Amino acid sequence: MVFMATMKDVAREAGVALGSVSRVINHAPGVKQKTIDKVNAAIKKLNYVPDEYARGLKVKSSKTVALILPSIWNLFFAEFAYYVEKYLAEKNYKLLLCNYSNNPKAEQHYIKMAKQNKIDAIICITYDDLDKYFYAGIPLVSIDRYFEQKISYVTSENYEGGRLAAEELLKHGVKHPAFIGTYNHNPSDVMKRHKGFAEYLSEQGYEFADVYLLEPVTKEKEETELFKLLDKNPEIDGIFCNTDSLLLDVKNWLAQREISVPEQIQLIGYDGIKPDFNSELGISTIRQPLPEMAKCAVEMVIEKVEQHRDEQRIERFPVSYIEGNTTKNI
């Protein structure tokens, strides 16, 4: 049986009161240096590890932030989680990763944890109707989604990204553009990708076809609707997919029909995801500055926790076009 030292063991070893050990561990002011030295020496000798969770209950802080995601299988969400954990660690905070798998009840459970002070704050990517579960007492930062209540959120310039995708398709020689993507009943900046795409093409005198489906939607439904669109509009030679993950699906579906990319249909996605953190995915896409967005979300939520600031902040980050192998060389 492995011996796990307790705070009482540390106090006994150091020859000080239990309260003195607690004050040293929590960096309380006014503790004599001699006491600090004794306690630290005892901690080292006994290999004592403080119970961070128990400390958090006493000081109303667990130094833990929950990141609520729809799915960790999505490359965009996985990469975002990586950077959130990285920047939280730099601030001496821990990450609780909450993968709710499109289950609103699971989201509600994590929000309840925050109300019980088991976690300090929430960073979330959610598309569900959770307004009634949020209140001013939960430090929260949303990604893309905005709410009726004035909750802070971080997003990219989605409207400009949609315009940029349309501009690049036309630059690459596309004459008959199309759009494929999904939208949600709840308001989200992501929907502005479709609006920006549509308005740029209208300004340039182009019409476009689209598959714009209300979530939730299956991949099978997206594939079926895409081919209905192509059967009705065989002249389509360029498609803007509103996420990179969708672009990869579309590329595979086209290959099954022996439609070559980019020779017959050019594709541009949105996100700028990577298969790993050292190489590009290889597709043409509108890149969001994911590390900067994650860092901003972390700074915003910690500011809310430590400075008790509850005013709304909105941060939008510029996007850029990345040339890849799903568009023709120009």
Side-chain angles (χ1 to χ4, degrees):
M1 183 176 179
V2 178
F3 170 73
M4 297 293 291
T6 67
M7 194 181 296
K8 288 183 179 179
D9 296 322
V10 172
R12 189 180 303 113
E13 177 67 29
V16 300
L18 185 61
S20 297
V21 176
S22 177
R23 293 177 68 197
V24 170
I25 291 174
N26 290 290
H27 306 289
V31 183
K32 294 180 180 180
Q33 188 61 46
K34 183 178 179 180
T35 302
I36 294 174
D37 293 341
K38 285 182 178 181
V39 171
N40 286 336
I43 288 173
K44 184 176 181 180
K45 180 179 178 180
L46 298 176
N47 197 26
Y48 170 70
V49 179
D51 185 342
E52 295 289 340
Y53 178 68
R55 288 172 59 197
L57 292 178
K58 293 179 181 179
V59 300
K60 301 292 185 182
S61 174
S62 62
K63 300 290 282 187
T64 302
V65 173
L67 174 61
I68 301 179
L69 300 175
S71 171
I72 199 63
W73 294 110
N74 181 293
L75 286 176
F76 172 79
F77 298 146
E79 187 175 347
F80 184 74
Y82 168 84
Y83 286 114
V84 168
E85 183 172 31
K86 176 180 184 291
Y87 294 122
L88 281 173
E90 291 179 1
K91 301 289 187 179
N92 295 316
Y93 276 75
K94 299 180 290 293
L95 172 72
L96 174 64
L97 183 59
C98 306
N99 178 18
Y100 65 86
S101 300
N102 297 312
N103 179 1
K105 289 186 177 179
E107 288 182 285
Q108 295 162 23
H109 170 72
Y110 296 128
I111 294 167
K112 183 179 179 181
M113 288 176 62
K115 291 181 179 180
Q116 295 172 340
N117 293 319
K118 293 181 180 179
I119 54 178
D120 292 332
I122 294 173
I123 298 173
C124 68
I125 299 178
T126 179
Y127 305 107
D128 291 307
D129 182 16
L130 296 178
D131 291 82
K132 60 180 176 289
Y133 295 102
F134 294 144
Y135 74 111
I138 301 178
L140 183 142
V141 171
S142 172
I143 308 301
D144 290 328
R145 171 80 190 280
Y146 47 92
F147 297 85
E148 290 182 3
Q149 299 188 44
K150 294 187 178 299
I151 291 171
S152 297
Y153 68 95
V154 176
T155 189
S156 66
E157 292 285 0
N158 289 280
Y159 176 81
E160 294 302 326
R163 292 181 63 88
L164 184 55
E167 179 183 0
E168 288 295 335
L169 282 177
L170 298 187
K171 279 184 181 179
H172 284 76
V174 169
K175 302 298 182 184
H176 303 283
F179 174 95
I180 180 169
T182 61
Y183 68 97
N184 196 280
H185 276 308
N186 300 305
S188 170
D189 245 61
V190 172
M191 299 178 200
K192 295 178 182 178
R193 298 173 191 177
H194 181 269
K195 182 178 180 182
F197 184 75
E199 292 189 356
Y200 183 87
L201 290 177
S202 177
E203 291 167 9
Q204 302 303 313
Y206 283 81
E207 294 183 351
F208 75 101
D210 67 357
V211 173
Y212 202 28
L213 303 172
L214 177 64
E215 297 171 342
V217 61
T218 63
K219 289 184 182 294
E220 291 76 11
K221 174 70 172 177
E222 289 175 319
E223 180 182 7
T224 298
E225 293 301 317
L226 170 65
F227 286 121
K228 283 183 181 178
L229 185 74
L230 293 177
D231 289 341
K232 186 177 180 181
N233 304 275
E235 71 280 3
I236 289 174
D237 56 353
I239 302 174
F240 172 39
C241 307
N242 76 338
T243 69
D244 287 348
S245 294
L246 180 56
L247 182 150
L248 296 175
D249 288 334
V250 169
K251 190 169 183 252
N252 288 333
W253 296 334
L254 293 176
Q256 293 170 18
R257 288 280 189 103
E258 297 185 344
I259 299 173
S260 61
V261 175
E263 290 77 17
Q264 291 174 270
I265 296 182
Q266 301 186 67
L267 302 176
I268 291 179
Y270 195 109
D271 281 333
I273 58 177
K274 300 179 181 181
D276 60 52
F277 301 112
N278 297 311
S279 61
E280 304 297 333
L281 188 59
I283 63 174
S284 298
T285 185
I286 307 302
R287 172 177 287 171
Q288 303 187 78
L290 209 52
E292 290 87 347
M293 290 172 64
K295 185 176 183 180
C296 179
V298 167
E299 290 175 346
M300 286 169 65
V301 83
I302 291 179
E303 183 179 82
K304 289 176 179 294
V305 170
E306 296 184 352
Q307 300 181 25
H308 307 288
R309 300 180 64 176
D310 59 1
E311 68 268 22
Q312 184 185 42
R313 277 183 57 192
I314 300 170
E315 297 290 343
R316 288 189 172 87
F317 285 80
V319 296
S320 58
Y321 172 70
I322 303 299
E323 184 74 42
N325 58 22
T326 55
T327 49
K328 296 177 181 178
N329 294 328
I330 56 174

